[in-house]
C-alpha cells in the first residue's frame, strides 16, 4: 500500500508519472509475494484509479479495478470494494462507454453499497445515476429528478452528513451535462460549486473532467462576457491547459484530444480560424483513435458550429451528422434529440438513416469503401485549388471514381442551353479523359449509347438525385435501352448545383455489384459535387480572363502567383510550431513515419534523439512564462544549429520536449550531434539559478538508433528513446543515455 501511495505523491508533487506507475506495479508484486489479499485490493485500487489514468489508456484501469473488486470481496475489505465500484463507474463514463450499459450495472452496485452502510460510495453511485438518467432521457421532464429521488433531496442528504466528495463528483458531472446541453451559465455555476472540493478528488479522473469542462464552458461564454470576465476566463483556461499539458505529456492517449479541443476553441474565440480548423480535426481524430465516442461527438458538434458560423453549410452538415450519430452511439438520447431540434434542416431528412450507418460503422470498424471526413475535405481542397478547366475535370473524375466505388463515370456540363459530356473516367487505370463536348441530345438511344441518357435527361429536368441499387430490377428506367443492353448493377446520377442552379451532372455506375452507392457515400459525394460546381464555375471564369488584354492577363497572373505563394506560406506555417519555429508534432509524426518506411526498405539506419529542458517548471516559476518561451526558442535554435543536414528534422514534441530525426545516421554520429546540441546550448549561457545541476539551462537526452524493420513501427523508437531520456534524468540530468 505504501508504494502505491508514494507513487501518487510522485505524480502530484514532482511529476514522475512513469516512476509512480512502476511503484504501483511493485506494490502488486509485493502483495502477491506475501499473499496479502487485503492490501492487494487496496494497492489495486490505488494503481487503477490514482496512478494508471495519468500514464495509461483508461481501458487498462478496468482490468485492475475488476481485480480489486473481486479480491476485496474475497478478503472482506468492503470499504475498498466500494471505492473500486465507484471508480469503475467513473472510469467507464470517462472512457465513453455506452450510457445504457453503465446504467444497467448501477442498481446492483447501489444495492451492494446500501448493505454495509458505506454512505460515500452510495452517494457517489447515486450522483452518477442522476446524471446518466438525465443524459438518457429518463428523468422527470427537463429536471434532474427521477422516480428514485429528487436532486434537491440528494443534495440536502449529502450536505447533512458533509459528504462533499460525492457532491464534488455530482457538481462536476452536472457541469459536463449542462455544457453539452448549451446551458453555459448554469454549467459555470456548478463548476464553481465543485471547485472548493477539488482537493478531495485530487489524483482521480473527476479532477481532469472538471478541468476540461470548466475550460470549455468559459470558452462558450467568452464572446458574451465583459472585459473583466474575459481576462478572468483567459487566466483560468491558461492554468487549466498548463495542467492538462502535463497530463498530455504523461498520457497523450487519455488527454491529448481534450487539450486539442480546448485549444481549438481558444483559437476560435481569438479569430485564429486556420489554427482552429486544424485543431478541431486533430481533436476529433485523437478521440476517435482512442475510442472516446462522446468526445468525438462533442468535437464534431463544435466543429460543425464553427463551419456554420462561417456559412460553410455543407461542411457543417457533415460534422453535425457525425455528432448526432456519436451521441446516439454513446447513448445520450436527450442530447441527440436536442441536436436534432436545434438543426432540423440539417438532420431531419436522413437523421435516422445516417445515424444507423454511423453506429454500424463505429461498432464494426469503418466501412472499407467509405470516404472519411478528412479524405473528403482533402479532396475538396484539391478541387478548390485547380483553376484550369481540363485539369480540374480530370482531377474531379479521378477523385470520384477512386473513392465512390464506381467502375466508370461521366461528367456532363451545361453550356448555353445544351448538356455536353466533358469528361469520362474508369476505375481500371484511374485515368480520366477530357472529351470533345459530346452533346447528350446527339446520342442516338437506338444505337446503344455508352450511358443511360434517359436517367441523365430526367436529372437535368428535375434536379433530383437518382440512386439505383440494382438498375435492372428497380426504378422507372428498367426498360431503358442502355440498361437492357449493358445490365448495369448500381447507378448514381446527381446534379451539380451552384446557387440553386444545375451547371452539371455527375453520372457513375458499377456493372458488377449492387448497392454500391450507400447513403454514406452519397452524402460525401454530394459534398464533393457542391465543391466541384463552385470550382467549375471558377475555372470557367478563369478561362474567360485569358481573353482579356495583356495587361489584365499579367495582373491576373501576378495575383494568382501571390495566392499560390500565400498558400505555400500557409502550408509551411501549418507544419511549424508557432513559438519555436521548428516542426510541430503533427509534421514530426508524418516525417518520422515516412523516413522509417523508406529506410526500412533501403536497409539504412535511422537515428533519433528525444530531449527536454532540465527543471523547466522551476525556470518558469522563477523567471516567468515569457522568459520560459524565450528559453524554448533558444533551445530549438541550438538543436537546429547542431542538426544541419537537409534531411535532419528538429521538432517540438510537446511542452519543453523536443525530438530530432536523423535519417542515414549511425549511433556514433547521433551521439556526436547530441553532444553538439548540448554544447550549442551551453554556449548560449542561459542563466538558470533554480537548477540543481548547473547555473545555466541544460537538457537531458535519450538516444536510439537502428535499421527500421519493415514490419515495425516508428512508435517503438519514440518509446525507447523516451525510456532512455528518463534514465538520463535519474542519473543526474544534463546528460544523455542510449537506448538498447
Amino acid at each position: 500500500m505504501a508504494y502505491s501511495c508514494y507513487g501518487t505523491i510522485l505524480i502530484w508533487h514532482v511529476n514522475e508519472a512513469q516512476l509512480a506507475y512502476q511503484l504501483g506495479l511493485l506494490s502488486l508484486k509485493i502483495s502477491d509475494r506475501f499473499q496479502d489479499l487485503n492490501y492487494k485490493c487496496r494497492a489495486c485500487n490505488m494503481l487503477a484509479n490514482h496512478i494508471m489514468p495519468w500514464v495509461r489508456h483508461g481501458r487498462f484501469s478496468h482490468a485492475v479495478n475488476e481485480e480489486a473488486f473481486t479480491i476485496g470481496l474475497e478478503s472482506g475489505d468492503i470499504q475498498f470494494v466500494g471505492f473500486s465500484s465507484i471508480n469503475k463507474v467513473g472510469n467507464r463514463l470517462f472512457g465513453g462507454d455506452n450510457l445504457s450499459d453503465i446504467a444497467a450495472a448501477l442498481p446492483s452496485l447501489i444495492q451492494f453499497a446500501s448493505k454495509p452502510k458505506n454512505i460515500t460510495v452510495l452517494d457517489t453511485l447515486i450522483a452518477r445515476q442522476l446524471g446518466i438518467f438525465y443524459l438518457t432521457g429518463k428523468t422527470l421532464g427537463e429536471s434532474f429528478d427521477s422516480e428514485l429521488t429528487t436532486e434537491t433531496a440528494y443534495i440536502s442528504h449529502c450536505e447533512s452528513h458533509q459528504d462533499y466528495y460525492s457532491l464534488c463528483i455530482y457538481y462536476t458531472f452536472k457541469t459536463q451535462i449542462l455544457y453539452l446541453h448549451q446551458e453555459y451559465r448554469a454549467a459555470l455555476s456548478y463548476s464553481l460549486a465543485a471547485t472548493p472540493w477539488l482537493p478531495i478528488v485530487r489524483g482521480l479522473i473527476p479532477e481532469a473532467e472538471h478541468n476540461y469542462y470548466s475550460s470549455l464552458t468559459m470558452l462558450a461564454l467568452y464572446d458574451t462576457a465583459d472585459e473583466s470576465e474575459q481576462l478572468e476566463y483567459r487566466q483560468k483556461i491558461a492554468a487549466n491547459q498548463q495542467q492538462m499539458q502535463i497530463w498530455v505529456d504523461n498520457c497523450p492517449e487519455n488527454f491529448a484530444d481534450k487539450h486539442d479541443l480546448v485549444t481549438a476553441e481558444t483559437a476560435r474565440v481569438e479569430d485564429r480560424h486556420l489554427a482552429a480548423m486544424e485543431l478541431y480535426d486533430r481533436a476529433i481524430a485523437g478521440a476517435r483513435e482512442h475510442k472516446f465516442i462522446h468526445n468525438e461527438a462533442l468535437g464534431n458538434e463544435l466543429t460543425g458550429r464553427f463551419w456554420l458560423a462561417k456559412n460553410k453549410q455543407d461542411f457543417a452538415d457533415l460534422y453535425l451528422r457525425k455528432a448526432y450519430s456519436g451521441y446516439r452511439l454513446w447513448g445520450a438520447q436527450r442530447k441527440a434529440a436536442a441536436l436534432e431540434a436545434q438543426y432540423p434542416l440539417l438532420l431531419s431528412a436522413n437523421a435516422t438513416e445516417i445515424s444507423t450507418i454511423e453506429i454500424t460503422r463505429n461498432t464494426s470498424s469503418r466501412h472499407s469503401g467509405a470516404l472519411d471526413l478528412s479524405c473528403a475535405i482533402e479532396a475538396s481542397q484539391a478541387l478548390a485549388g485547380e483553376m484550369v478547366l481540363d485539369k480540374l475535370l480530370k482531377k474531379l473524375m479521378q477523385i470520384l471514381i477512386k473513392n465512390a466505388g464506381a467502375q466508370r463515370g461521366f461528367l456532363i456540363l451545361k453550356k448555353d442551353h445544351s448538356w455536353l459530356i466533358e469528361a469520362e473516367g474508369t476505375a481500371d487505370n484511374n485515368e480520366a479523359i477530357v472529351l470533345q463536348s459530346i452533346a447528350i441530345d446527339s446520342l442516338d438511344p437506338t444505337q446503344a449509347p455508352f450511358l443511360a441518357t434517359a436517367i441523365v435527361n430526367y436529372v437535368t429536368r428535375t434536379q433530383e438525385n437518382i440512386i439505383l441499387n440494382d438498375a435492372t430490377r428497380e426504378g422507372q428506367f428498367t426498360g431503358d435501352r442502355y440498361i437492357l443492353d449493358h445490365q448495369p448493377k448500381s447507378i448514381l446520377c446527381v446534379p451539380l448545383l451552384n446557387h440553386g442552379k444545375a451547371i452539371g451532372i455527375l453520372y457513375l455506375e458499377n456493372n458488377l455489384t449492387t448497392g454500391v452507392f450507400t447513403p454514406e457515400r452519397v452524402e460525401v459525394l454530394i459534398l464533393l459535387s457542391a465543391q466541384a460546381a463552385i470550382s467549375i464555375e471558377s475555372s470557367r471564369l478563369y478561362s474567360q480572363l485569358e481573353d482579356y488584354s495583356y495587361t489584365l492577363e499579367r495582373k491576373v497572373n501576378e495575383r494568382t502567383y501571390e495566392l499560390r505563394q500565400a498558400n505555400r506560406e500557409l502550408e509551411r506555417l501549418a507544419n511549424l510550431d508557432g513559438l519555436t519555429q521548428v516542426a510541430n508534432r503533427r509534421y514530426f509524426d508524418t516525417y518520422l513515419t515516412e523516413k522509417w518506411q523508406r529506410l526500412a526498405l533501403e536497409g539504412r539506419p535511422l537515428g533519433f534523439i528525444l530531449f527536454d529542458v532540465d527543471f523547466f517548471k522551476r525556470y518558469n516559476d522563477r523567471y516567468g512564462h515569457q522568459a520560459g518561451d524565450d528559453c524554448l526558442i533558444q533551445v530549438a535554435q541550438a538543436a537546429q544549429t547542431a542538426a544541419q543536414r537537409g534531411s535532419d528534422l528538429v521538432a517540438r514534441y510537446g511542452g519543453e520536449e523536443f525530438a530530432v530525426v536523423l535519417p542515414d545516421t549511425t549511433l556514433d554520429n547521433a551521439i556526436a550531434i547530441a553532444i553538439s546540441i548540448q554544447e550549442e546550448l551551453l554556449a548560449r549561457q542561459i542563466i538558470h539559478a533554480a537548477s540543481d545541476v548547473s547555473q545555466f539551462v541544460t537538457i537531458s537526452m535519450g538516444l536510439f538508433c537502428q535499421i527500421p524493420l519493415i514490419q515495425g513501427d516508428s512508435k517503438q523508437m519514440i518509446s525507447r528513446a523516451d525510456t532512455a531520456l528518463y534514465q538520463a534524468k535519474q542519473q543526474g540530468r544534463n546528460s544523455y543515455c542510449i537506448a538498447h
Side-chain angles (χ1 to χ4, degrees):
M1 183 66 171
Y3 279 108
S4 290
C5 291
Y6 182 45
T8 65
I9 293 172
L10 290 178
I11 288 178
W12 296 111
H13 293 280
V14 293
N15 191 29
E16 290 286 356
Q18 296 299 327
L19 178 56
Y21 180 59
Q22 294 170 12
L23 289 170
L25 296 177
L26 176 60
S27 71
L28 298 192
K29 292 180 180 178
I30 294 175
S31 299
D32 285 336
R33 179 176 179 182
F34 293 100
Q35 298 181 349
D36 190 330
L37 293 182
N38 190 30
Y39 276 105
K40 184 173 183 181
C41 168
R42 300 185 178 202
C44 282
N45 183 73
M46 296 295 291
L47 175 62
N49 305 300
H50 293 262
I51 296 176
M52 290 185 74
W54 315 107
V55 292
R56 293 291 182 270
H57 190 283
R59 63 176 174 269
F60 292 105
S61 297
H62 184 69
V64 182
N65 253 325
E66 288 291 344
E67 186 174 6
F69 191 86
T70 302
I71 292 172
L73 290 176
E74 293 178 7
S75 65
D77 193 345
I78 301 303
Q79 183 183 33
F80 272 80
V81 170
F83 293 158
S84 294
S85 67
I86 60 176
N87 287 320
K88 278 201 306 182
V89 173
N91 290 345
R92 290 186 68 184
L93 284 169
F94 177 79
D97 284 11
N98 183 268
L99 293 170
S100 297
D101 292 344
I102 301 174
L106 279 173
S108 61
L109 294 176
I110 290 173
Q111 183 179 11
F112 175 83
S114 301
K115 292 179 179 179
K117 305 297 183 182
N118 196 336
I119 296 178
T120 298
V121 172
L122 180 61
D123 289 346
T124 304
L125 291 172
I126 293 174
R128 295 303 194 185
Q129 190 176 56
L130 284 170
I132 293 172
F133 278 174
Y134 187 88
L135 286 168
T136 54
K138 294 180 180 180
T139 52
L140 303 176
E142 295 299 317
S143 72
F144 276 70
D145 299 342
S146 71
E147 295 179 354
L148 300 178
T149 186
T150 66
E151 180 181 37
T152 301
Y154 171 75
I155 293 174
S156 176
H157 168 74
C158 290
E159 289 178 340
S160 68
H161 56 272
Q162 299 182 326
D163 184 2
Y164 298 117
Y165 176 91
S166 299
L167 277 179
C168 185
I169 299 291
Y170 180 67
Y171 290 156
T172 299
F173 195 16
K174 191 166 182 180
T175 300
Q176 173 186 355
I177 295 167
L178 291 172
Y179 171 80
L180 290 176
H181 287 269
Q182 299 179 38
E183 297 181 34
Y184 302 127
R185 282 293 172 190
L188 183 60
S189 68
Y190 277 95
S191 171
L192 294 174
T195 300
W197 313 116
L198 286 177
I200 304 176
V201 298
R202 185 81 189 271
L204 293 167
I205 282 298
E207 181 179 13
E209 291 175 320
H210 184 275
N211 176 306
Y212 182 45
Y213 287 104
S214 64
S215 290
L216 289 175
T217 299
M218 288 183 284
L219 287 164
L221 291 168
Y222 190 86
D223 290 337
T224 58
D226 59 36
E227 289 187 7
S228 62
E229 286 178 321
Q230 288 183 343
L231 176 60
E232 180 185 358
Y233 292 168
R234 287 197 301 271
Q235 291 173 342
K236 289 183 177 179
I237 292 167
N240 284 349
Q241 285 291 84
Q242 185 178 13
Q243 178 59 65
M244 185 70 79
Q245 184 62 59
I246 293 173
W247 295 334
V248 171
D249 292 342
N250 290 326
C251 186
E253 303 96 317
N254 281 346
F255 302 106
D257 67 292
K258 299 164 186 63
H259 185 278
D260 286 339
L261 191 59
V262 172
T263 308
E265 282 284 271
T266 303
R268 175 187 62 80
V269 301
E270 294 175 351
D271 293 327
R272 293 184 290 110
H273 296 154
L274 288 174
M277 289 161 55
E278 178 183 351
L279 287 161
Y280 279 128
D281 285 340
R282 194 165 75 187
I284 293 168
R288 181 189 306 124
E289 178 184 358
H290 298 297
K291 312 302 182 186
F292 296 120
I293 184 64
H294 56 327
N295 293 338
E296 183 183 356
L298 175 58
N300 277 307
E301 180 185 358
L302 294 180
T303 311
R305 285 199 253 143
F306 169 82
W307 285 115
L308 274 181
K310 298 180 73 63
N311 296 316
K312 297 291 186 180
Q313 191 159 342
D314 290 323
F315 285 139
D317 191 350
L318 193 55
Y319 279 104
L320 289 171
R321 286 177 187 264
K322 283 177 170 286
Y324 176 83
S325 301
Y327 286 128
R328 284 178 60 90
L329 179 59
W330 183 33
Q333 304 304 332
R334 188 190 295 268
K335 173 60 183 176
L339 199 64
E340 188 171 2
Q342 187 175 4
Y343 304 107
L345 296 180
L346 298 180
L347 297 174
S348 59
N350 297 306
T352 302
E353 184 176 33
I354 295 299
S355 172
T356 303
I357 292 166
E358 290 292 336
I359 289 173
T360 301
R361 185 179 64 177
N362 280 283
T363 53
S364 61
S365 78
R366 296 189 176 274
H367 190 288
S368 59
L371 277 169
D372 68 14
L373 182 60
S374 61
C375 178
I377 293 176
E378 181 181 353
S380 181
Q381 291 172 339
L383 296 178
E386 185 56 70
M387 298 301 296
V388 179
L389 184 59
D390 285 0
K391 293 181 179 179
L392 172 65
L393 297 182
K394 285 184 178 181
K395 185 176 291 185
L396 174 61
M397 292 309 299
Q398 288 170 345
I399 290 172
L400 294 173
I401 292 293
K402 177 181 178 181
N403 294 293
Q407 285 184 291
R408 57 199 296 265
F410 296 90
L411 190 62
I412 304 155
L413 302 182
K414 188 175 184 179
K415 187 175 183 180
D416 297 328
H417 298 290
S418 299
W419 291 92
L420 310 176
I421 302 176
E422 296 288 6
E424 176 186 6
T426 62
D428 294 338
N429 52 14
N430 195 30
E431 287 294 329
I433 302 172
V434 177
L435 305 178
Q436 299 299 316
S437 301
I438 301 173
I440 290 291
D441 293 342
S442 69
L443 299 177
D444 186 350
T446 64
Q447 299 298 317
F450 43 86
L451 79 166
T453 55
I455 294 178
V456 173
N457 288 330
Y458 179 85
V459 174
T460 61
R461 291 194 306 271
T462 65
Q463 296 188 15
E464 295 178 3
N465 299 331
I466 294 295
I467 305 164
L468 301 176
N469 292 317
D470 190 346
T472 61
R473 298 177 182 273
E474 66 176 35
Q476 64 192 75
F477 304 101
T478 54
D480 180 70
R481 173 65 182 273
Y482 174 82
I483 291 177
L484 292 173
D485 288 347
H486 295 273
Q487 296 288 298
K489 300 295 185 183
S490 302
I491 291 180
L492 177 141
C493 189
V494 296
L496 307 183
L497 301 176
N498 188 32
H499 299 297
K501 296 182 179 180
I503 67 165
I505 301 292
L506 173 64
Y507 176 95
L508 300 174
E509 68 176 41
N510 187 304
N511 293 337
L512 299 178
T513 307
T514 60
V516 167
F517 304 114
T518 63
E520 184 180 39
R521 279 176 168 160
V522 171
E523 287 296 317
V524 183
L525 287 172
I526 290 173
L527 171 64
L528 290 177
S529 297
Q531 178 61 62
I534 296 171
S535 298
I536 290 169
E537 285 296 284
S538 299
S539 65
R540 282 175 168 172
L541 177 62
Y542 185 79
S543 298
Q544 292 174 11
L545 291 175
E546 293 181 342
D547 297 332
Y548 286 0
S549 65
Y550 172 78
T551 302
L552 183 57
E553 182 179 342
R554 178 174 55 81
K555 290 182 178 180
V556 170
N557 289 337
E558 288 175 355
R559 179 57 178 159
T560 302
Y561 174 77
E562 290 172 359
L563 290 173
R564 288 174 178 169
Q565 290 296 101
N567 287 334
R568 291 192 185 101
E569 180 64 12
L570 287 174
E571 183 178 355
R572 185 186 71 83
L573 292 175
N575 293 330
L576 291 182
D577 174 63
L579 175 66
T580 61
Q581 294 299 295
V582 296
N584 59 23
R585 175 68 179 271
R586 180 182 62 81
Y587 185 72
F588 159 77
D589 289 336
T590 301
Y591 190 81
L592 180 60
T593 301
E594 175 190 326
K595 294 304 177 185
W596 177 282
Q597 294 171 348
R598 180 177 67 82
L599 295 173
L601 292 173
E602 297 173 358
R604 292 190 288 173
L606 176 62
F608 182 69
I609 302 172
L610 196 65
F611 69 89
D612 67 9
V613 180
D614 292 329
F615 304 110
F616 185 68
K617 184 177 184 303
R618 295 185 189 177
Y619 188 93
N620 264 339
D621 292 343
R622 185 178 184 93
Y623 300 107
H625 290 290
Q626 184 61 54
D629 288 348
D630 293 339
C631 173
L632 293 179
I633 292 171
Q634 293 200 57
V635 170
Q637 291 172 348
Q640 283 190 301
T641 302
Q644 296 181 342
R645 297 179 307 169
S647 60
D648 296 341
L649 179 77
V650 177
R652 188 178 181 189
Y653 191 72
E656 74 273 17
E657 196 167 19
F658 293 84
V660 185
V661 182
L662 302 168
D664 296 314
T665 302
T666 63
L667 179 58
D668 288 342
N669 288 334
I671 292 172
I673 292 173
I675 294 172
S676 179
I677 294 173
Q678 290 181 312
E679 291 174 346
E680 287 288 342
L681 180 60
L682 182 60
R684 296 169 187 265
Q685 295 192 340
I686 308 169
I687 298 296
H688 189 353
S691 173
D692 289 349
V693 297
S694 171
Q695 62 179 317
F696 303 119
V697 168
T698 59
I699 55 177
S700 297
M701 317 179 79
L703 283 69
F704 186 59
C705 184
Q706 74 170 98
I707 296 175
L709 303 175
I710 294 177
Q711 301 299 326
D713 187 340
S714 59
K715 291 181 180 178
Q716 64 177 314
M717 173 169 277
I718 300 174
S719 176
R720 296 178 71 172
D722 185 57
T723 300
L725 169 59
Y726 275 93
Q727 290 174 349
K729 287 177 176 292
Q730 293 168 4
Q731 293 175 11
R733 306 179 189 257
N734 191 23
S735 62
Y736 67 84
C737 280
I738 302 168
H740 296 288

